[in-house]
Structures are given as structure tokens and as C-alpha cells.
Amino acid sequence: MSFSPDIPPAYRALYDAAGPVVRFRLVRDVLDRDESYLQTAHLALDLPRLPETEAIITAQELDGSWNGLLCSTENCVATETAVLRLCELGLEEHDSIRACVEKALVPTLLGEDILWEFSRAADDDNLRPMARRIVRDKTLRLLTRATRSLDEMLRPVMEALLIEGEHFLAYPHAQDQLPPTADGYAALCWYKWSDDDFLRVRKFIKRLFKHAEDVMGHSLRTPEFYAPHVFQLSDKWEYLSRPPLFFHELELAARLGAARDLAVTKWLIEELEFRQDADGRFRFESAEPVEDSWYYPLDRKSPRDDSLEWTFRAALLYKLLEYDL
């Protein structure tokens, strides 16, 4: 039996041209029809059977991780990439995600001594807190992206993350201060803050962006292994040459309801409007291969037309921006 969801005219062309993942996420995330809708549930049936999905699931270890690593390398997929990739594929509720949350991520969050591949820093008292910060923030990012059922556990840790960031911005030059990480920022954006908290968190994010703008082009005063994880802003032209980064930065700020408050993301919104062609598609020119990014592409079996990806991303952003007032 075949189901054809009632797609509004504005999205019909995209739906008809897209592959199974974009179709599912368009219906679920843009049209807000969760899997209680028969058509959405039907679209979800194809996702676990996709070759990429099967490859990721098959590679999962018994301990819930991928290759026993938290961060990916050039030669293997690790836990953060696998989890984020499955989430982007619309499989947040898959058993593999649940197993990773229960067996790997929650124990990591609660275990102050768990450092994954950063354990080499355990013998150095100065580096160990930095290693733990990286691991904790990556874990928070994955948990806030993959599940909404751990709020009671996550809330105090998210508050601690926010307090640490506030303290750093108050004393950014203190020797004992650790700059906020990009993963910590992503966790703040994905976490479901209460209405009362939103204003406070957005004010912090505005200060964080202002600090990042002020230090652009300056060398980071952090150990070499910590520097790649620090929250930083990219040059405008780098955003344009790397569409996944462009959309990722804009989506995070939009989910927090702060995209129109920040100079960088406000510029990205304006640039996005110029990227829509007469046929309704959004097009970018990539200066580097992007096939290996966890953020792209959603449908590997769809025609190799990047505009399908960007048009879905733009539709999701405009839906999020309706609430970004």
C-alpha cells in the first residue's frame, strides 16, 4: 500500500524530487507531522533499511560506542559522527541510539574519570580538566541532540555549563579559565530551555558571540589539543564556501531563537535569501568535498543535486525562524 502525504504546494516540488530521508524530515520537521501520523510513520519505515544506516548500525560496538572512540578521525567513524549522522537521518528513536545513550553517553556524563581517547591527559593535572571538559561537552551535545527524555539528569549539568561560560566571559584572561567549547555551545542551542530561561541563555549567547568576534584572527592561549574544540566564528567567505558550516551555524542559533540577534547569523539569513533561484531551489558553490560530513548529504541515493539538500535545510530554517522574533 502506498501513502502520499498531503504536501503543501510550496514544498511539493522538493518532496517529489527528494529521496526518503529528506521526504521524511520535510514531513516531520517542517510540516510538524510526527510519527503519530500514518503517512509519516510509513515514510519512516525506509530509513533503517538505507545502506548508510545499515553500515552505521553494523559498526556499533557492544559497549554502545563506535570503534571505542568519541571523536572521529580520518580513517574511522567514531561515536559522535555516528550518533549525529543517525539523528540527521531521522533515527533519533532507533535502538542503536538508545543503546549508545544508555551504555556509553550517560555513564560518560556521570563518570568524572571517563575521558575516552583523551585519557592520555590523565597523567597531567593541568590538562586533565581540559580533557574532561571536551568529553563532557561532546556528550552533552549528543544527548541534547538525540533524546528529550533525560531532562532531570541534564538540567543541572546544563546550568553548570552556562555558569562556567558566564564566568569565562567575566574573566576571559584569567589563567585558570577554559574557553567555552563549540560542542558546549551546540548543547545550549539544542537543549529545551523553559520560556523563563530563554532570555537568560540568549543574553549569554550574544556575549559569547561578541567575545568570539573580538578574538577572531588572534592565537588561542590554550594547549594544542584543546584549541580545535574552542567555540570560534569563521570568516564570512568561509561560510559561503562551506554550505554545511553555513547551515549548521544558522540552524543552531535559530533553534535557540537568537539568529536575528547576532550579527553573524543575521548576515547569514540575509545571504540565504539571495541564494534562492527562480525555480525555488537554494544553490551554493562548495569549495571542498562535503560527502564525509555528518551534516551532509541526507540522501545519498537521490540525484547528485546539492540544491535538494540546501532547499530542505532552508525550509527547516525558515520554519525555525518564525519563532525567532
Side-chain angles (χ1 to χ4, degrees), residues 42-56:
H42 178 74
L43 290 170
L45 294 176
D46 290 332
L47 305 181
R49 297 193 291 262
L50 296 173
E52 183 179 6
T53 303
E54 292 181 342
I56 294 174

Side-chain angles (χ1 to χ4, degrees), residues 77-92:
V77 173
T79 303
E80 66 170 343
T81 300
V83 170
L84 292 172
R85 188 67 190 161
L86 288 175
C87 289
E88 286 296 301
L89 292 171
L91 291 162
E92 293 92 339

Side-chain angles (χ1 to χ4, degrees), residues 78-111:
T79 303
E80 66 170 343
T81 300
V83 170
L84 292 172
R85 188 67 190 161
L86 288 175
C87 289
E88 286 296 301
L89 292 171
L91 291 162
E92 293 92 339
E93 299 299 323
H94 194 274
D95 288 344
S96 291
I97 293 288
R98 294 173 182 170
C100 183
V101 168
E102 294 175 4
K103 296 180 180 180
L105 298 181
V106 169
T108 296
L109 184 65
L110 299 179

Side-chain angles (χ1 to χ4, degrees), residues 1-7 12 15-16 19-20 23-24 27 33 35-46 49:
M1 185 175 182
S2 177
F3 295 94
S4 180
D6 180 20
I7 305 298
R12 187 77 231 187
Y15 181 86
D16 290 342
R23 287 186 172 189
F24 171 77
V27 172
R33 301 172 186 171
E35 290 177 76
S36 65
Y37 287 77
L38 184 60
Q39 296 92 340
T40 311
H42 178 74
L43 290 170
L45 294 176
D46 290 332
R49 297 193 291 262

Side-chain angles (χ1 to χ4, degrees), residues 71 118 130-131 133-135 137-138 141 161 165 168-169 172 177-186 204 208-209 211-213 215-234 239 242 245 248-249 252:
C71 302
F118 296 95
M130 299 183 187
R133 177 76 64 88
I134 294 170
V135 171
D137 290 1
K138 285 187 175 296
R141 178 186 188 175
L161 182 68
F168 169 81
L169 293 179
Q177 290 297 304
L178 290 178
T181 67
D183 290 295
Y185 164 69
F204 165 73
L208 179 62
F209 267 70
H211 171 78
E213 291 170 353
V215 300
M216 280 186 68
H218 297 279
S219 299
L220 297 175
R221 296 188 301 175
T222 62
E224 184 177 352
F225 88 95
Y226 190 83
H229 305 282
V230 173
F231 173 78
Q232 300 178 76
L233 295 177
S234 298
Y239 286 121
R242 299 175 59 193
L245 178 64
H248 180 246
E249 193 80 77
L252 287 178

Side-chain angles (χ1 to χ4, degrees), residues 3 6 24 30 32 42 50 57 73 102 117 127 156 159 161 165-166 201 205 217 234 252 262 266-267 275 300 312:
F3 295 94
D6 180 20
F24 171 77
V30 177
D32 280 332
H42 178 74
L50 296 173
I57 293 171
T73 67
E102 294 175 4
E117 64 265 33
L127 296 182
E159 286 289 347
L161 182 68
E166 289 278 13
V201 178
I205 294 300
S234 298
L252 287 178
L262 308 170
K266 186 177 180 180
W267 178 85
R275 293 287 163 169
R300 292 186 182 273
F312 162 71

Side-chain angles (χ1 to χ4, degrees), residues 257-297:
R260 299 185 193 277
D261 299 331
L262 308 170
V264 172
T265 50
K266 186 177 180 180
W267 178 85
L268 294 178
I269 294 172
E270 294 172 353
E271 184 63 35
L272 182 62
E273 295 173 353
F274 288 111
R275 293 287 163 169
Q276 187 172 22
D277 290 337
D279 62 359
R281 296 279 188 91
F282 290 77
R283 290 180 169 86
F284 288 78
E285 294 182 4
S286 299
E288 61 182 37
V290 291
E291 284 78 4
D292 294 331
S293 169
W294 60 262
Y295 199 72
Y296 170 93

Side-chain angles (χ1 to χ4, degrees), residues 121-132 175-176 178 223 225-226:
D123 295 331
D124 190 315
D125 291 339
N126 293 323
L127 296 182
R128 184 179 177 82
M130 299 183 187
R132 178 57 192 172
Q175 292 185 349
D176 61 340
L178 290 178
F225 88 95
Y226 190 83

